[in-house]
Amino acid sequence: MARAGADSGAGALASLDSTAVNTPPPAVAVRGLVKRYGRTTAVDGLDLCLPSGSVLALLGPNGAGKTTTVEICEGFLRADAGEVRVLGVDPAGAPDALRARIGVMPQGGGAYPGVRAAEMLRLVAACSAHPLDVTWLMSVLGLDSCARTPYKRLSGGQQQRLALACAVVGRPELVFLDEPTAGMDPQGRRVVWELIQALRRDGVAVLLTTHLMEEAEALADEVVIVDRGRVVAQGSPVALTSTTEQQELRFRARSGMDVDGLVAALPAGYGAAEPIAGRYVVRGRIDPAVLSTITSWCAGQGALADDVQVARRSLEDVFLELTGRELRS
Amino acid sequence: MNRFAPGTFTPQPGAGAPLRMLAAQSGTELRLALRNGEQVLLTLLIPIVLLVGLSTLDVVPLPEPRVAAVVPGVLALAVMSTAFTGQAIALGFDRRYGVVRRLAATALPRWLLVAGRLVAVLGVVALQVVVLCALAVALGWRPEPSGLGWALLLVLLGCAAFGSLGILLGGSLRAEITLAVANLVWFVLLLAGGIVVPLGMLPRPLAGVGAVLPSGALAEGLRTALSAGHAPSAVQVLVLVGWTVVASALALRTVKLR
């Protein structure tokens, strides 16, 4: 299991407390975070570190504790245990001072049902000392055609883009984006991705939550996979997916071949399966010798290995392996 | 190729000027209140219908001139509708729709979040008072000039009492419950709280209860000020201040952002 940088959260928090401050403190440092709702433990000893000016994706199934973690960092919820520092400040202690420095995109947005899109953004902009130009921001996010439309009549994607605009209009140092592209069409998603890349380029730290592996892979410097309130893996997208023994080979052949026989033919430590009839997967380090073993084993079964593909595991594979494949309610 | 030029988002954080934030929030809420049909019905149309109807039709026995007997109650109703019922319902649904949290996530401090709503309430009440008084004058109402200052004070105290009760209700309970309770209370106080029917015409136990309710204190105080030109009684002022203090103290403990 890839756990590159698993200890960086604790390390960064320690350096935050020290007086040697040549490097900027992390934008977000969380250690041993616990949050319970009644008997349910939503967050169970979570560690997290978002270095200043970088992008961290919190990835996990529904109910993994992503939103709870983000809302504690924003100062909306109180932790039951653990230490949280956001821009060096305890969010539970000084939410007003902190919120002048951060941008927040809550899950599901948040606006008066009858407010016009531009009116809402203007209101949020008025709360900042040096806001971005509202008209420009509306237009670059494709919202100028609905500037006078009441919020309740905006499409889901338009509401999301407006919420994103509200999160960045105040030129924050750190932005929390809770599922920023949920319900968006591909064009909308493209704009949001570009915006997040531009934030990172300009030195804004971003903590985003997402279900989308592709999104985490494309945007994040660091991906933290959480499940049942705990970190199950973390590291750069490349580190999480490219470990050599995590390669796999897929091929098609006639269905019903004896995969146990294939495993026996392969060196120790390899796995094989037929997840869908006629489609086979071999997991392990794929080299020419292994490829040759597989094709000759197929030939021995009177079958031709067709459509052979060697692939790095996707982040989705890692994610499903760690968090299970069953549907969560 | 990125459509955002380099440096576009270079951090430059900071809170806006408090007065600018206050103006932006209360201005937005005021416009929303005036754009919302149900709110306008509650805050303007019903008081206007009652003012014109009770002044011109002999449905309830009232001393002559009828309009002078009706105006104080209608002004009290206007204050109650806006500061309590309208405000509680709006706050309940604003919480439901994440507005309060959205605003709390900006640099807007907690006290401005409340102040912005109250300033919007004062704006609507000012509009109601101007419209209703102009209409009453057209119907022949001639208030006692020496009582106008007292009436203004009472309207402000009434806004404070009903406003803090509205925030307590809308900020603490679920939106649907708020809607039901706010409307029920509005209706009960309208009929039995000294607003339409003066306390003196209510049965004795009811009149006693009405006198310690904000509706009764406000309406009776306005009757004294506008008809006789006298200052409101100490009890009326204390009742309004007392409800303000108790409701605000409770609201500080119970109001939730969501």
Side-chain angles (χ1 to χ4, degrees):
Chain A
M1 178 185 302
R3 283 204 64 114
D7 293 323
S8 63
L13 206 63
S15 74
L16 179 73
D17 296 334
S18 76
T19 44
V21 280
N22 277 333
T23 50
V28 177
V30 170
R31 185 164 58 188
L33 181 65
V34 175
K35 177 69 187 177
R36 296 182 197 91
Y37 297 107
R39 273 198 232 149
T40 317
T41 302
V43 179
D44 189 9
L46 188 125
D47 296 337
L48 207 63
C49 179
L50 167 62
S52 163
S54 70
V55 178
L56 183 148
L58 212 50
L59 195 65
N62 288 331
K66 305 186 296 292
T67 296
T68 301
T69 303
V70 169
E71 291 188 347
I72 290 171
C73 292
E74 294 162 353
F76 284 127
L77 290 176
R78 273 179 185 276
D80 289 319
E83 243 184 295
V84 180
R85 290 287 178 281
V86 176
L87 300 172
V89 176
D90 177 4
D96 284 349
L98 181 60
R99 286 185 193 137
R101 301 171 64 193
I102 65 173
V104 172
M105 176 179 179
Q107 205 176 94
Y112 303 97
V115 78
R116 292 174 180 145
E119 206 175 10
M120 188 67 204
L121 185 56
R122 253 186 217 104
L123 170 57
V124 174
C127 299
S128 303
H130 314 282
L132 297 171
D133 183 74
V134 166
T135 313
W136 168 80
L137 190 55
M138 294 285 289
S139 122
V140 79
L141 289 177
L143 290 167
D144 39 7
S145 62
C146 60
R148 291 182 57 79
T149 307
Y151 183 77
K152 62 186 166 205
R153 292 220 304 269
L154 297 177
S155 73
Q158 288 169 332
Q159 291 185 347
Q160 286 284 86
R161 274 177 277 150
L162 179 62
L164 185 68
C166 289
V168 301
V169 72
R171 301 196 191 199
E173 295 165 61
L174 162 65
V175 179
F176 292 98
L177 306 174
D178 203 348
E179 300 194 6
T181 55
M184 268 192 196
D185 57 22
Q187 290 86 346
R189 195 173 306 149
R190 191 59 51 192
V191 181
V192 174
W193 286 17
E194 263 183 46
L195 189 141
I196 294 171
Q197 283 157 348
L199 288 170
R200 179 180 180 278
R201 178 201 63 204
D202 291 343
V204 182
V206 179
L207 198 163
L208 68 102
T209 74
T210 183
H211 293 300
L212 301 175
M213 319 300 142
E214 199 195 347
E215 188 161 284
E217 222 160 355
L219 299 174
D221 298 297
E222 176 101 343
V223 176
V224 175
I225 302 183
V226 291
D227 191 27
R228 301 175 209 274
R230 293 176 159 275
V231 173
V232 291
Q234 74 181 74
S236 70
V238 172
L240 281 173
T241 53
S242 68
T243 324
T244 46
E245 60 267 29
Q246 289 165 343
Q247 273 180 311
E248 63 183 32
L249 180 141
R250 292 171 183 271
F251 64 94
R252 291 176 187 239
R254 76 173 165 77
S255 61
M257 294 194 296
D258 171 28
V259 288
D260 291 340
L262 175 56
V263 172
L266 287 163
Y270 282 79
E274 185 184 2
I276 301 169
R279 297 187 183 198
Y280 295 83
V281 178
V282 176
R283 289 203 179 83
R285 190 175 140 71
I286 307 300
D287 55 24
V290 167
L291 183 58
S292 153
T293 307
I294 293 167
T295 45
S296 49
W297 180 80
C298 287
Q301 302 280 315
L304 172 66
D306 192 12
D307 197 10
V308 178
Q309 294 178 359
V310 179
R312 230 178 59 185
R313 292 194 315 170
S314 69
L315 198 51
E316 179 151 357
D317 295 325
V318 179
F319 177 79
L320 289 174
E321 240 158 67
L322 292 168
T323 61
R325 288 172 193 269
E326 80 277 18
L327 200 59
R328 303 282 173 84
S329 58
Chain B
M1 191 52 204
N2 193 301
R3 73 190 79 192
F4 304 98
T8 305
F9 298 110
T10 303
Q12 210 180 340
L19 272 180
R20 190 156 162 260
M21 292 196 262
L22 180 66
Q25 195 209 342
S26 49
T28 305
E29 301 216 356
L30 186 61
R31 284 195 302 277
L32 287 170
L34 297 178
R35 240 184 260 156
N36 180 329
E38 285 161 53
Q39 283 259 58
V40 173
L41 176 75
L42 181 76
T43 55
L44 270 177
L45 291 185
I46 293 178
I48 287 173
V49 167
L50 282 177
L51 173 65
V52 176
L54 290 174
S55 303
T56 53
L57 305 173
D58 196 4
V59 281
V60 180
L62 285 173
E64 293 291 335
R66 295 182 61 87
V67 66
V70 171
V71 171
V74 166
L75 288 178
L77 173 68
V79 169
M80 178 172 79
S81 304
T82 299
F84 176 71
T85 306
Q87 146 110 312
I89 294 170
L91 178 55
F93 282 95
D94 284 353
R95 280 170 57 228
R96 157 71 52 84
Y97 293 123
V99 184
V100 181
R101 181 172 279 228
R102 165 68 271 167
L103 293 177
T106 67
L108 202 68
R110 204 60 85 86
W111 68 269
L112 262 179
L113 216 54
V114 176
R117 301 194 86 92
L118 293 181
V119 168
V121 162
L122 287 178
V124 176
V125 169
L127 183 74
Q128 291 172 299
V129 167
V130 168
V131 169
L132 291 170
C133 287
L135 202 58
V137 168
L139 289 167
W141 179 54
R142 296 295 175 266
E144 190 58 50
S146 59
L148 291 179
W150 292 117
L152 182 64
L153 175 74
L154 282 163
V155 165
L156 291 176
L157 288 176
C159 283
F162 278 117
S164 31
L165 283 165
I167 286 177
L168 173 63
L169 177 61
S172 312
L173 300 180
R174 282 215 335 255
E176 292 77 12
I177 299 178
T178 296
L179 180 70
V181 172
N183 280 320
L184 184 71
V185 169
W186 180 88
F187 193 65
V188 169
L189 292 188
L190 172 68
L191 294 180
I195 285 187
V196 166
V197 188
L199 290 180
M201 296 168 71
L202 288 174
R204 190 171 290 266
L206 211 52
V209 173
V212 295
L213 293 176
S215 54
L218 176 59
E220 291 301 318
L222 285 172
R223 283 186 186 108
T224 315
L226 293 173
S227 309
H230 293 328
S233 75
V235 173
Q236 285 158 353
V237 172
L238 279 177
V239 165
L240 292 175
V241 172
W243 280 99
T244 306
V245 170
V246 170
S248 307
L250 278 176
L252 279 177
R253 289 161 186 274
T254 61
V255 167
K256 296 185 285 279
L257 295 179
R258 187 168 62 180

